[in-house]
Amino acid sequence: MSNRWAPKHGFIPFHFTFPNKDAAGRNHCSAYNRHWAEANQELIDQLEYESPKDPTLVLKDRESAFQHLALLYVKYVQIFRKLENAYDQMVHPQKRRLLKEVVVAAMGRILEIKHKMVELEASDFQNLSDILLDLKLVPEDLQIPVPHSFLEEREKDVATRKELLQSLNAKELGFGEAVPAFPELDRADAIRIIQINERGRQGKLRAKYMRDIRLQAQREKELDGNDDEMEVNTAALRIQRVWKGFKARQLYKKKMQEELIFLGMSNTVKDAKMNPIIKAENNRKRRKVVQQQYEEEYQQALVNTKEKIAKVEGPDMKESMQDSFRQWYMEYKRINGKFPDFPPDKVWQEPGFTFTIGGEDRQGTAESGTSGDKGDDGSKPGTAASDSKPAAKDKKGAAGKDAKKKPGSAKGKGKQEEEEEPDKFKFDESEYLNQIRGENTVYGAKWQNKDESDNFAQKHDQEIIKNDKRREVEAEIKAEVFEVLKEELKNLKTAVDREKTKSRKGKKKGGKKGGKKGGKKGGKGKKGKGGKKGKKEKDLTANRTMESLVEELIQTGILQKYPPVSIRDYRGEFNMLATSTSKDPVIQPSFAELQRVVTEYCIFPLGLTPGPNAAAAAATAAAPPTPPTPPTPVPGVTSMFLFGPKGTGKTMLVNAIASETGAYLFNLTPRNTAGQFVGKPNVARMVHMVFKVAKAHPPSIIYIDGVEMIFAKKVPKDDTSDPKRIKKDLLKNLKSLKPGEGVIFIGSSFKPWDGDAKAMLPIFQKHLPCPKPEYASRYSLWKEYIARRAPNHVKDINISLLTRMSDGLSAGGIALTCERALTDRRLKLLRVRPLSTNEFVEQLFNILINKDEDKAFKDFYEKTPLARKRIAMLTAPADDEADKKKGGGKGGAKGGAKGKDKKK
């Protein structure tokens, strides 16, 4: 099929062939345009739902407000998934720019709603299973994808960081801390195992030797007999029977597989090249090449179009501005008898500004928002520099008079608002909603109804470029010309002022002297105010370059490289048994919920942080688009505490955050820095260097494993790392971290109760438990770990039995069990001896499951600030009801007595 059918049908299935090799990367644009249109319509519906016009729909209590926010959250996640997929696959450069802004706005709105939900429920984790059922969604629809643009648009910066770490032989995170697959043996046990295996080997050899002797004797006996024709026939029948049985079993398996495929109970086995997932990934790679090519063409078109407009239309624009300006001030001089003031910069910099006099349509003109010289009658037009402050003052005065007339009414209203505040719930205004509205307007004006039948390749739109560049050139010429015109008007006024009397000149000189004196006094006052400010923090490495600091941190093993890990590798399932109205004092998260929360708190804010070379990349004409700066800081955290038993994935989450954002990873773990930077000055310099380099190279992660030992009341004698030496400098530098800087501090611990909770917990904004997997997550983990080593033998294993037996086992314990059972030697014997469930059960018995620590972690979790707030919030209503029941009669009597007193 040729390309001429594409405009008619709108899209072409990916299995068609194209004569043009680049067409395969452009054929899905209509599908992603449709996704964008659907998401845009859903955003419009969301905006209407968020701002109801009916006053009866306004939320009045916390529970209804949470249900409202939870529904918004789920719907925004669905919209974000569509928008992110469309942005990732679309090749049109101008559409991608607008779509990127929508994606960022939707992402910011998701984070805003998330933080509001946390504030209402006093919990970082929410159960949304009932909302999923109402919307007929599956749990996978709640997973938030990490935008590919986080790494793709910083590809050069991330590659430079990796090359630097590799060239200086940076230490890898967690090097030497891996748990061995099998425990270490002492000499006696090792000798005993060797003896057992050696005796078994010798016995097998002897048995094989004896079997060969028996077979040889049997063959000789058969050869000594007569070759009867009946024996030949018997042999032929035996061969036929075996062969027919083999063919029948093959045919049965084939028919059975066809039947299972027909019923949808088995997957079809296809050629790897025809796998739709692989083909989709290959198409995505081709589209990425097309995106880069179109982006370069678009950047070049921007430069060429601007130069052409400036050359062809620039002189006419300049001449038109000069003529309208001169006509304006001459007409004003004729009417008012004096020259006007030049319009303020904010007025003439507005688009559509023109020099006009009088008239009712004054918006965007020289007289925009001005009042006449003679007052409110409007007989004479006002100057360009005049404003409407007197009118505002009149309004304020009238309002003040009204307030003075009824002071009691204002107080009464204030009391009513204070009384109604606990019952009503008010949402904060969101800048992201305004951004979404503006982008929807732009989409409707430019792209919604645009006919692109002649732009099958989805290249840039030249007309839009011309309009945008024409406004840009006009603004540049206006700034240049208006400076000249301002000087021209100033010279005219000066020439007129020279004709005035000498007495008035003397008065002006006296005014200038007074102004100078006042200026000196004002300067002294400023100095006095400046002296009150605190001293600026001293830079301990002011005489060193940033490159030397980075090199020293790499060589000392603090700035480390990390293995590439995706947040999707932290596998798990959602808890579908709990509801959103749960009254549990502490909500234990599932693996999938923890993965989503880490994505929201860490990956999104770090990924949206512009890198250190963002300005240089924006200045480069052919560079890919950099992430736009959001209108407001993206809600995020500057510190996070991960605690949980060993093997629950704390270090893996840190690796995933760094991998998904391409961040620098600084490891300040005491055992990693032991023996280095000895002495208090050197320790202060070390911590200062880490925070300085991290802030200069966002995104960055500062990580401390075993952070509880820094705040421990008593350090064990066998710990020679001196963990408490960095406590003072760490707390001092943590106070300087601010949201939006692209730096996050992460601490982890598997014994958090060893530290002083009062000193340790307040320094972290978020405290996230890393739990042991529940049934659904254990089931998926068993399947995943077995499939990695023996993908064709998963069906032979009773996964459900292993899941029930491994209750209380961490994810690391499940991985260790699979590693012990599926050794390299065992994998080689799979053809001879099939895999069985008992092999995993035997290894499970050798791993200890400590269920006592679960209670210790739960008790510690209840000590965190947010958990304490939730417990107090849930217990407060019950206490209030009990108090009302106890003191209802007394309160009523007191109220009656007070009422009588008032009547008297």
Side-chain angles (χ1 to χ4, degrees):
M1 182 175 286
S2 62
N3 289 348
R4 61 192 178 87
W5 294 98
K8 180 178 179 181
H9 293 287
F11 70 97
I12 299 177
F14 62 85
H15 61 270
F16 288 178
T17 57
F18 295 88
N20 184 0
K21 65 179 182 179
D22 292 333
R26 308 165 191 163
N27 57 342
H28 294 291
C29 293
S30 62
Y32 297 113
N33 286 333
R34 188 166 59 253
H35 285 181
W36 188 11
E38 293 173 358
N40 186 72
Q41 184 59 44
E42 292 176 6
L43 281 175
I44 295 174
D45 297 339
Q46 286 292 95
L47 294 175
E48 293 179 357
Y49 178 70
E50 287 202 54
S51 54
K53 297 180 180 179
D54 189 355
T56 60
L57 298 177
V58 177
L59 305 173
K60 296 183 179 180
D61 59 350
R62 184 182 61 83
E63 293 184 1
S64 59
F66 176 75
Q67 292 292 329
H68 174 79
L69 288 174
L71 182 61
L72 283 177
Y73 177 82
V74 174
K75 288 188 175 181
Y76 268 114
V77 169
Q78 309 310 308
I79 295 172
F80 172 73
R81 289 165 65 94
K82 288 184 181 179
L83 291 173
E84 198 280 325
N85 188 31
Y87 174 74
D88 181 55
Q89 305 286 351
M90 199 173 286
V91 297
H92 197 294
Q94 292 158 305
K95 290 181 181 179
R96 293 188 81 241
R97 274 164 170 73
L98 179 60
L99 191 52
K100 176 64 177 180
E101 296 177 1
V102 182
V103 170
V104 173
M107 193 186 308
R109 186 58 183 154
I110 288 174
L111 297 182
E112 281 184 343
I113 296 174
K114 172 67 178 181
H115 284 268
K116 200 67 182 177
M117 291 165 62
V118 172
E119 181 183 344
L120 282 176
E121 285 293 292
S123 175
D124 293 308
F125 309 99
Q126 293 84 29
N127 298 315
L128 306 174
S129 56
D130 50 347
I131 296 177
L132 289 180
L133 293 176
D134 293 340
L135 297 177
K136 297 181 180 180
L137 300 174
V138 295
E140 288 74 15
D141 292 331
L142 268 182
Q143 292 179 347
I144 301 179
V146 178
H148 297 86
S149 58
F150 283 176
L151 292 178
E152 290 174 354
E153 295 178 357
R154 296 180 51 246
E155 187 176 1
K156 293 183 179 179
D157 184 28
V158 173
T160 303
R161 292 186 176 193
K162 289 182 178 179
E163 290 175 3
L164 178 62
L165 294 172
Q166 191 67 29
S167 62
L168 295 176
N169 296 323
K171 186 178 177 181
E172 187 169 352
L173 178 67
F175 177 75
E177 300 175 6
V179 179
F182 294 93
E184 295 183 1
L185 300 175
D186 55 10
R187 182 175 295 181
D189 292 339
I191 293 173
R192 183 174 57 82
I193 292 174
I194 292 173
Q195 287 176 347
I196 293 172
N197 283 274
E198 180 61 22
R199 288 167 187 165
R201 187 186 66 83
Q202 292 178 5
K204 289 178 181 179
L205 288 176
R206 285 195 297 270
K208 183 181 179 183
Y209 179 67
M210 296 303 297
R211 186 179 64 213
D212 291 343
I213 292 175
R214 286 196 301 270
L215 291 174
Q216 183 66 23
Q218 186 178 357
R219 281 195 295 268
E220 290 177 357
K221 184 179 179 180
E222 291 175 354
L223 291 174
D224 291 342
N226 296 326
D227 295 336
D228 192 2
E229 184 177 354
M230 291 298 294
E231 293 181 357
V232 175
N233 292 336
T234 303
L237 289 174
R238 288 180 179 177
I239 294 172
Q240 289 177 2
R241 185 169 65 250
V242 172
W243 175 252
K244 288 181 179 178
F246 173 73
K247 295 298 290 183
R249 286 190 294 272
Q250 272 193 336
L251 181 62
Y252 168 76
K253 288 182 179 179
K254 182 179 179 181
K255 294 290 185 182
M256 190 65 181
Q257 183 67 18
E258 291 177 355
E259 184 72 14
L260 292 175
I261 293 173
F262 176 74
L263 296 175
M265 300 175 64
S266 178
N267 296 326
T268 58
V269 180
K270 294 183 178 180
D271 184 10
K273 296 181 179 179
M274 299 301 294
N275 189 343
I277 297 177
I278 297 177
K279 294 186 71 174
E281 185 62 27
N282 293 334
N283 284 336
R284 181 180 177 277
K285 292 179 180 178
R286 285 195 292 270
R287 279 192 290 272
K288 290 300 173 184
V289 176
V290 175
Q291 284 178 3
Q292 183 67 23
Q293 176 186 347
Y294 285 4
E295 179 63 29
E296 293 175 357
E297 294 177 2
Y298 174 67
Q299 294 287 350
Q300 189 61 41
L302 290 177
V303 176
N304 296 339
T305 305
K306 183 177 180 181
E307 292 178 353
K308 186 176 180 180
I309 291 175
K311 184 178 180 180
V312 176
E313 303 179 17
D316 295 338
M317 293 180 183
K318 186 175 182 180
E319 185 177 353
S320 175
M321 292 177 190
Q322 291 174 344
D323 293 343
S324 63
F325 169 73
R326 294 189 177 101
Q327 184 179 359
W328 168 69
Y329 75 73
M330 292 301 295
E331 184 68 17
Y332 188 94
K333 177 77 166 51
R334 184 182 64 81
I335 296 174
N336 297 279
K338 63 177 181 179
F339 288 108
D341 295 331
F342 201 84
D345 293 344
K346 291 182 179 180
V347 175
W348 64 260
Q349 287 175 358
E350 293 180 0
F353 172 83
T354 54
F355 290 102
T356 58
I357 296 180
E360 294 179 357
D361 186 11
R362 297 187 177 189
Q363 187 174 1
T365 65
E367 290 85 12
S368 176
T370 60
S371 59
D373 288 342
K374 289 188 177 181
D376 297 332
D377 56 354
S379 59
K380 289 188 179 181
T383 62
S386 61
D387 53 18
S388 58
K389 287 183 180 179
K393 288 181 180 178
D394 293 340
K395 290 181 180 179
K396 289 182 180 178
K401 291 178 182 178
D402 294 337
K404 289 179 181 178
K405 288 179 181 178
K406 298 180 180 180
S409 61
K411 291 181 181 179
K413 288 181 180 179
K415 290 181 180 179
Q416 289 177 2
E417 290 176 0
E418 290 177 0
E419 292 175 358
E420 294 176 0
E421 187 176 356
D423 299 332
K424 290 187 177 180
F425 181 81
K426 297 180 181 179
F427 293 104
D428 297 333
E429 295 183 0
S430 173
E431 290 294 333
Y432 290 107
L433 290 179
N434 298 330
Q435 187 180 7
I436 291 173
R437 291 188 186 97
E439 286 151 1
N440 283 342
T441 304
V442 175
Y443 171 78
K446 287 186 177 181
W447 303 109
Q448 189 172 14
N449 300 318
K450 188 175 181 61
D451 182 15
E452 294 186 283
S453 57
D454 57 344
N455 188 18
F456 172 70
Q458 288 293 293
K459 293 189 176 183
H460 59 267
D461 192 308
Q462 188 63 29
E463 290 300 321
I464 295 178
I465 294 178
K466 285 182 180 179
N467 295 333
D468 293 341
K469 288 301 171 182
R470 186 175 287 110
R471 287 192 293 268
E472 185 178 337
V473 170
E474 184 178 0
E476 292 178 358
I477 293 176
K478 183 189 291 185
E480 179 183 350
V481 171
F482 277 30
E483 290 297 327
V484 178
L485 297 180
K486 190 186 296 185
E487 190 67 25
E488 180 180 339
L489 185 60
K490 182 180 177 182
N491 294 336
L492 288 173
K493 286 186 176 183
T494 304
V496 172
D497 292 341
R498 286 175 184 170
E499 300 176 0
K500 294 183 180 180
T501 61
K502 293 182 180 181
S503 61
R504 296 191 64 181
K505 286 184 179 180
K507 290 181 181 179
K508 287 185 178 180
K509 288 181 181 180
K512 288 182 180 180
K513 288 180 181 180
K516 289 182 179 180
K517 289 180 182 179
K520 289 180 181 180
K521 290 180 181 178
K524 289 180 181 179
K526 288 180 181 178
K527 288 181 181 179
K529 289 181 181 179
K532 292 180 182 178
K533 294 183 179 178
K535 293 182 180 179
K536 190 177 180 182
E537 186 179 350
K538 185 179 180 181
D539 189 357
L540 302 178
T541 56
N543 57 345
R544 296 186 56 182
T545 62
M546 189 60 64
E547 290 77 10
S548 65
L549 297 179
V550 172
E551 185 176 353
E552 182 179 357
L553 291 175
I554 294 175
Q555 291 174 350
T556 53
I558 295 176
L559 181 53
Q560 298 181 345
K561 60 183 179 182
Y562 43 85
V565 178
S566 173
I567 192 66
R568 293 184 295 273
D569 296 336
Y570 192 81
R571 298 185 180 275
E573 302 294 335
F574 287 97
N575 183 12
M576 297 302 294
L577 300 178
T579 62
S580 60
T581 57
S582 175
K583 300 297 182 182
D584 296 334
V586 174
I587 299 178
Q588 290 291 341
S590 62
F591 267 39
E593 183 70 19
L594 181 59
Q595 172 193 338
R596 183 158 55 90
V597 168
V598 169
T599 302
E600 293 167 337
Y601 286 165
C602 302
I603 296 179
F604 278 1
L606 289 180
L608 290 174
T609 304
N613 300 325
T620 307
T626 55
T629 304
T632 54
V634 177
V637 297
T638 57
S639 56
M640 185 176 68
F641 183 37
L642 301 173
F643 59 93
K646 287 185 176 180
T648 51
K650 299 181 290 295
T651 306
M652 182 181 181
L653 285 174
V654 176
N655 284 339
I657 295 170
S659 300
E660 294 285 6
T661 58
Y664 267 149
L665 182 59
F666 301 87
N667 189 359
L668 276 178
T669 304
R671 63 175 176 272
N672 183 52
T673 59
Q676 304 183 81
F677 300 96
V678 181
K680 290 185 179 180
N682 291 328
V683 171
R685 184 171 63 86
M686 175 187 71
V687 178
H688 173 78
M689 275 197 304
V690 168
F691 278 84
K692 180 178 179 180
V693 175
K695 292 179 181 179
H697 297 83
S700 296
I701 300 171
I702 302 172
Y703 174 60
I704 296 181
D705 188 16
V707 71
E708 80 282 354
M709 297 311 299
I710 297 177
F711 301 92
K713 295 181 180 179
K714 187 177 180 180
V715 180
K717 294 181 180 180
D718 56 349
D719 191 350
T720 59
S721 60
D722 191 13
K724 301 183 72 172
R725 62 176 185 154
I726 66 171
K727 178 180 177 180
K728 179 180 177 182
D729 298 291
L730 179 65
L731 295 176
K732 178 181 176 182
N733 285 275
L734 280 176
K735 293 178 181 178
S736 65
L737 287 184
K738 299 177 182 177
E741 288 183 336
V743 181
I744 185 171
F745 170 64
I746 301 177
S748 67
S749 173
F750 65 92
K751 287 185 178 181
W753 46 81
D754 286 349
D756 185 7
K758 292 183 179 180
M760 178 176 63
L761 294 180
I763 70 170
F764 295 102
Q765 293 183 357
K766 294 296 177 182
H767 310 84
L768 304 183
C770 297
K772 293 179 180 178
E774 72 287 350
Y775 182 88
S777 296
R778 289 199 307 274
Y779 190 90
S780 62
L781 288 172
W782 276 111
K783 289 184 67 175
E784 173 66 21
Y785 290 140
I786 295 174
R788 287 182 184 179
R789 307 277 292 176
N792 298 326
H793 297 269
V794 179
K795 58 184 178 181
D796 301 330
I797 307 300
N798 189 347
I799 303 294
S800 181
L801 174 63
L802 295 177
T803 304
R804 289 194 298 270
M805 292 186 64
S806 59
D807 185 18
L809 193 65
S810 65
I814 296 174
L816 184 61
T817 303
C818 295
E819 190 176 355
R820 289 182 178 181
L822 299 173
T823 59
D824 294 338
R825 183 174 179 274
R826 182 65 185 89
L827 293 176
K828 293 178 182 178
L829 298 174
L830 286 176
R831 292 182 299 172
V832 181
R833 181 160 54 96
L835 199 61
S836 66
T837 307
N838 291 334
E839 298 179 48
F840 295 95
V841 174
E842 292 175 2
Q843 297 299 334
L844 271 176
F845 288 149
N846 297 328
I847 297 179
L848 296 176
I849 299 177
N850 185 9
K851 292 188 177 182
D852 296 335
E853 63 181 0
D854 296 344
K855 187 178 184 305
F857 278 107
K858 184 178 180 181
D859 293 341
F860 179 81
Y861 187 24
E862 291 178 354
K863 295 179 182 178
T864 58
L866 199 60
R868 290 205 310 266
K869 181 180 177 182
R870 178 174 175 81
I871 293 172
M873 181 183 69
L874 294 176
T875 55
D879 296 341
D880 293 343
E881 290 178 3
D883 293 340
K884 287 180 181 178
K885 289 180 180 179
K886 290 181 180 178
K890 294 180 180 179
K894 289 181 180 178
K898 288 181 180 178
K900 291 179 181 178
D901 294 338
K902 287 183 180 179
K903 287 180 180 179
K904 289 179 181 180

